Amino acid sequence: TVDFQPNYDDRLKEPVVLPSRFPNLLVNGSNGIAVGMATNIPPHNMGEVIDGVIMMIDNPDVTVEELMTVIKGPDFPTGGAILGQSGVRETYRTGRGRIVVRAHSEIEDMAGGRQRIIFHDIPYSVNKARLIERIADLVKEKKVEGISNLRDESDRKEMVRIVVELKKDANAEVVLNQLYKNCALQDACCANMLALVPDSEGKLEPKTFTLMDALKHYVMHQESVVTKRVIFDLEKAEAKKHIDEGLLMAIDHIDEIIQIIRSSRTENDAKVTMCERFGFSDKQAQHIVDMRLGRLTGLERDNLIQEIKDLEEKIAHFKLILSDVNVLHDTIKEEILEIKRKYATPRMTEIINGAFEDIDDESLIQEENIVVTLTNFGYIKRQPVDTYKMQHRGGRGISGQSTREEDFVEKILTTTTHHFLLCFTNTGRVFKIKGYQIPETSSRTSRGTAIVNLLKLQEGEKIRNIIPLKDFDNEELFLTIASRNGIVKKTSLTAYSNINKNGLIAVNIREGDAVVGVDLTTENQEIVLVTKSGKAIRFNSDNVRSMGRNSTGVKGITLNDDDEVVGMVPVTDNGELLVISKKGMGKRTALEEFHIQKRGGKGVKCYKVTDKTGYVVGVKAVTDEH
């Protein structure tokens, strides 16, 4: 069925190629490096590839898209999930592509409000022991935080079960995605489908082949193999029929045959005489002189007649295969479908559709509205916004957070899990964090997580304001910063797009000063500064020219010696100024009651500070809907 060639020392013959009953190169894959070239063919599911072969036989002009309806992608014996079909499609079209494979995982709840992540498989060709070592190293190096325990619970039957237990305040989705990013739980198979392909003259040369090339060459190979096999079977059937016809004639003239054999001096003389008398060929005559006497019965004659009839049917079928290419293809399809019926197994590797080239945490976390709470001592948490319900004023309220003694809630804001949070510190630095990266607490009254575990704050550095943002692309937005000593600075929002883990300098703070307020403003935006003694100044932010990040700013308000700025708010239509005093008194004033001044003035009275009220501690711009 295949051609043979001399082996390495010319002593023996070896097949040029093995007559594979299924597309072995695709099903089992191949990986190797040679001089100046390499190949990496991922394994595939046998049943799917056989379906692809049949589709190619039925329609030689089939497209890659049509083939991918049956050959969905590589099927790795270790399972896992292929992220998206773009890499698979590129591989099948060009012979080269990057296929991203990820381990399957699930998140389980544990006692005490903790969670654990369980991995049920690992990507193809990844060493499990080295993978677990890598995860342990990531924890030691603090590249992945929130893991309390790691163990391998895989059994001897090759079932993978890697358990990662998390700390109580850890976000399981974030830890999971950090593991996918930093170790081989998510790996890329860089396919390079290169093999020895016959050219027009039949010579083998290394070529990169596509999926269609692979199937076309396999169909051509099967056509050659089946044709040669049928020719061999045809010749064998015709030879057998020829012998049986001679035996049948010999049985019909058995007495004369025996007389010729007995009267001949040698076996050769008997053969010559029979050939002359009955027209036997040399092979027929030789078979007659070699046969046993037991075959000369009447029953044997009936068997010979039936055998000749069967052989004639086989010969007719073989000749039909050789003369009609459609029958040849039907034969190939019938045989390969029998292989599928016996040996095909279900697909092990799942294919998850979607764009996954840049995997980020949002791919694992649903976007939802959240409330972020930060205390004076630096404890932060997030909760779904529906945790809090609308109430009437004057009520006792509900407990939003339990705090340590002498601690209190300092900032509370609403945003979404996918928004950026710009965290400005009292020292003039800014950090960037996503909403989902703040650990979610199961209880409304829980204290939360120390923010120093999320941001690289220095000793004595505290968060002064948190600004939620969807993106940094709006060139018409500015971040305006106010300091305790009345200094104001405005910088374009785009300057803050590249904030690394160590933070950036947002404003150059002078000694003895500190950031007290940060807000988003637009061109021609008016802002109000409010001081501890109850003074307020309203001026247009355009009076403050836009500066670079590493600058100090200009004077926004002139302060008395014992006074300081406690907050800054942007002016909005129909907005009101909400002022809160140290002793819990609150007052709302329409912003339109404050006339516009030039920056640097002393401002006007906005709150009457008395012993009963205490000095002003906070200020916000609000409406009736807040």
Side-chain angles (χ1 to χ4, degrees):
T1 58
V2 293
D3 296 330
F4 275 67
Q5 64 186 10
N7 71 337
Y8 68 97
D9 60 1
D10 286 341
R11 290 191 302 109
L12 301 171
K13 293 281 189 179
E14 64 181 9
V16 175
V17 61
L18 294 176
S20 174
R21 296 295 300 276
F22 59 90
N24 187 70
L25 189 62
L26 284 176
V27 172
N28 281 317
S30 184
N31 188 296
I33 300 174
V35 179
M37 65 187 73
T39 186
N40 186 15
I41 305 170
H44 290 74
N45 182 273
M46 175 187 281
E48 293 182 359
V49 173
I50 288 175
D51 289 341
V53 171
I54 292 173
M55 183 178 283
M56 175 66 72
I57 292 173
D58 292 339
N59 179 18
D61 297 324
V62 67
T63 64
V64 171
E65 285 73 18
E66 291 171 333
L67 284 172
M68 286 185 67
T69 61
V70 291
I71 306 178
K72 304 184 185 306
D75 187 24
F76 301 104
T78 52
I82 295 174
L83 303 185
Q85 290 187 310
S86 60
V88 176
R89 190 176 291 107
E90 185 69 15
T91 299
Y92 288 167
R93 281 178 176 168
T94 66
R96 295 172 181 266
R98 184 175 180 270
I99 301 169
V100 179
V101 185
R102 170 185 285 186
H104 278 112
S105 64
E106 66 173 322
I107 298 171
E108 289 185 355
D109 292 328
M110 298 171 59
R114 296 167 60 207
Q115 291 180 308
R116 64 184 174 192
I117 304 171
I118 300 174
F119 297 97
H120 297 292
D121 50 31
I122 56 178
Y124 186 56
S125 74
V126 171
N127 184 291
K128 185 176 65 175
R130 292 179 183 172
L131 171 65
I132 294 173
E133 287 179 10
R134 173 59 179 160
I135 296 174
D137 290 341
L138 290 172
V139 176
K140 290 178 183 176
E141 296 167 4
K142 295 188 177 181
K143 290 183 178 179
V144 176
E145 296 183 353
I147 295 177
S148 63
N149 193 17
L150 169 68
R151 61 180 179 273
D152 182 9
E153 294 183 357
S154 306
D155 60 17
R156 294 184 179 180
K157 296 180 181 178
E158 297 301 317
M159 188 190 82
V160 175
R161 181 180 168 89
I162 300 172
V163 180
V164 179
E165 293 186 356
L166 306 181
K167 297 176 182 177
K168 189 172 182 179
D169 58 353
N171 187 319
E173 287 89 353
V174 172
V175 173
L176 176 62
N177 218 26
Q178 288 175 341
L179 290 174
Y180 281 144
K181 283 184 177 181
N182 293 290
C183 67
L185 286 165
Q186 179 172 308
D187 201 14
C189 171
C190 296
N192 179 20
M193 294 168 52
L194 184 140
L196 295 174
V197 180
D199 58 15
S200 57
E201 299 178 358
K203 294 181 180 179
L204 297 176
E205 58 180 357
K207 278 186 178 180
T208 300
F209 61 92
T210 65
L211 177 64
M212 293 177 65
D213 293 336
L215 297 181
K216 282 181 181 177
H217 281 289
Y218 178 75
V219 172
M220 291 167 57
H221 169 67
Q222 279 299 295
E223 290 174 347
S224 171
V225 166
V226 173
T227 298
K228 289 180 179 179
R229 187 192 72 205
V230 169
I231 291 173
F232 176 81
D233 290 340
L234 174 62
E235 292 174 350
K236 195 173 181 180
E238 288 178 334
K240 178 64 175 171
K241 179 189 172 190
H242 181 65
I243 296 297
D244 286 354
E245 289 174 341
L247 288 174
L248 189 61
M249 187 181 294
I251 290 174
D252 291 342
H253 302 86
I254 188 61
D255 294 335
E256 191 174 348
I257 292 291
I258 293 174
Q259 181 61 37
I260 290 173
I261 293 174
R262 291 183 65 185
S263 62
S264 300
R265 295 182 60 197
T266 64
E267 181 179 304
N268 191 54
D269 291 342
K271 287 165 52 180
V272 171
T273 304
M274 284 189 290
C275 290
E276 292 174 352
R277 172 69 181 83
F278 299 107
F280 290 145
S281 68
D282 184 66
K283 288 184 179 181
Q284 286 175 322
Q286 182 65 47
H287 198 80
I288 290 169
V289 298
D290 291 341
M291 73 178 181
R292 296 180 294 107
L293 290 175
R295 297 192 62 186
L296 303 179
T297 63
L299 181 61
E300 181 65 23
R301 186 179 190 280
D302 293 340
N303 290 342
L304 282 173
I305 292 173
Q306 183 62 42
E307 191 174 83
I308 289 172
K309 183 179 179 182
D310 293 341
L311 287 170
E312 286 175 344
E313 292 178 357
K314 285 184 178 180
I315 290 168
H317 178 64
F318 292 150
K319 288 182 176 179
L320 181 62
I321 292 175
L322 295 175
S323 62
D324 191 338
V325 69
N326 292 324
V327 179
L328 172 63
H329 286 165
D330 288 342
T331 303
I332 295 172
K333 287 159 60 175
E334 182 181 341
E335 293 176 356
I336 200 170
L337 282 172
E338 180 64 18
I339 297 292
K340 176 185 175 182
R341 186 186 67 80
K342 286 184 177 180
Y343 302 110
T345 56
R347 164 175 278 276
M348 297 185 67
T349 302
E350 180 187 5
I351 296 179
I352 304 174
N353 291 319
F356 293 96
E357 289 306 312
D358 295 317
I359 304 300
D360 54 22
D361 297 321
E362 283 90 339
S363 65
L364 295 172
I365 297 171
Q366 182 180 358
E367 184 168 11
E368 62 178 351
N369 293 324
I370 57 173
V371 175
V372 177
T373 309
L374 177 69
T375 74
N376 182 56
F377 282 2
Y379 287 91
I380 193 169
K381 69 172 183 177
R382 70 176 168 97
Q383 289 181 285
V385 74
D386 55 13
T387 304
Y388 303 88
K389 60 181 182 289
M390 178 72 75
Q391 301 174 69
H392 294 292
R393 71 167 182 82
R396 293 180 58 86
I398 59 173
S399 178
Q401 182 157 0
S402 64
T403 58
R404 291 167 53 187
E405 188 178 353
E406 297 181 355
D407 195 9
F408 55 88
V409 174
E410 193 169 82
K411 300 292 177 186
I412 183 166
L413 59 99
T414 57
T415 181
T416 77
T417 48
H418 287 191
H419 275 49
F420 292 102
L421 298 177
L422 291 187
C423 302
F424 291 85
T425 72
N426 58 333
T427 63
R429 291 203 300 165
V430 58
F431 295 86
K432 181 172 67 175
I433 191 172
K434 284 277 192 172
Y436 58 76
Q437 291 177 313
I438 299 172
E440 183 176 10
T441 57
S442 56
S443 169
R444 188 184 66 242
T445 58
S446 61
R447 187 174 62 183
T449 304
I451 198 167
V452 292
N453 294 328
L454 306 177
L455 307 177
K456 295 185 177 180
L457 300 178
Q458 298 172 353
E459 187 175 353
E461 193 171 17
K462 296 178 66 176
I463 301 297
R464 276 291 168 251
N465 203 5
I466 301 177
I467 304 290
L469 278 176
K470 186 174 183 180
D471 55 56
F472 297 85
D473 298 334
N474 194 335
E475 296 183 357
E476 296 180 357
L477 284 179
F478 299 88
L479 276 166
T480 302
I481 303 172
S483 76
R484 186 168 58 200
N485 292 344
I487 302 299
V488 179
K489 178 197 162 189
K490 185 174 73 173
T491 305
S492 173
L493 177 63
T494 57
Y496 295 91
S497 58
N498 297 319
I499 302 176
N500 56 32
K501 292 182 179 180
N502 294 319
L504 284 179
I505 296 175
V507 59
N508 188 8
I509 291 294
R510 295 171 180 169
E511 187 176 351
D513 201 359
V515 172
V516 294
V518 184
D519 268 297
L520 277 176
T521 58
T522 60
E523 291 184 356
N524 204 33
Q525 171 83 59
E526 295 171 1
I527 59 175
V528 175
L529 298 181
V530 179
T531 73
K532 179 179 175 181
S533 65
K535 289 285 190 71
I537 185 171
R538 175 178 176 178
F539 61 89
N540 196 308
S541 63
D542 286 355
N543 292 337
V544 182
R545 65 179 178 83
S546 180
M547 307 177 186
R549 286 186 297 101
N550 194 9
S551 57
T552 302
V554 295
K555 181 182 284 190
I557 186 172
T558 300
L559 299 172
N560 296 326
D561 293 341
D562 59 346
D563 204 0
E564 62 184 47
V565 175
V566 296
M568 173 187 69
V569 296
V571 176
T572 58
D573 293 339
N574 302 319
E576 296 174 320
L577 190 70
L578 171 64
V579 176
I580 305 292
S581 73
K582 185 179 180 183
K583 294 188 177 180
M585 306 296 284
K587 173 192 173 185
R588 278 196 301 168
T589 309
L591 284 168
E592 61 186 25
E593 292 190 24
F594 298 92
H595 65 274
I596 299 175
Q597 300 176 256
K598 289 186 177 181
R599 69 168 180 84
K602 287 198 170 187
V604 297
K605 205 77 172 175
C606 71
Y607 191 79
K608 186 177 180 181
V609 175
T610 65
D611 293 338
K612 180 181 175 183
T613 63
Y615 54 82
V616 175
V617 294
V619 57
K620 287 287 181 186
V622 298
T623 66
D624 288 339
E625 301 302 317
H626 278 78

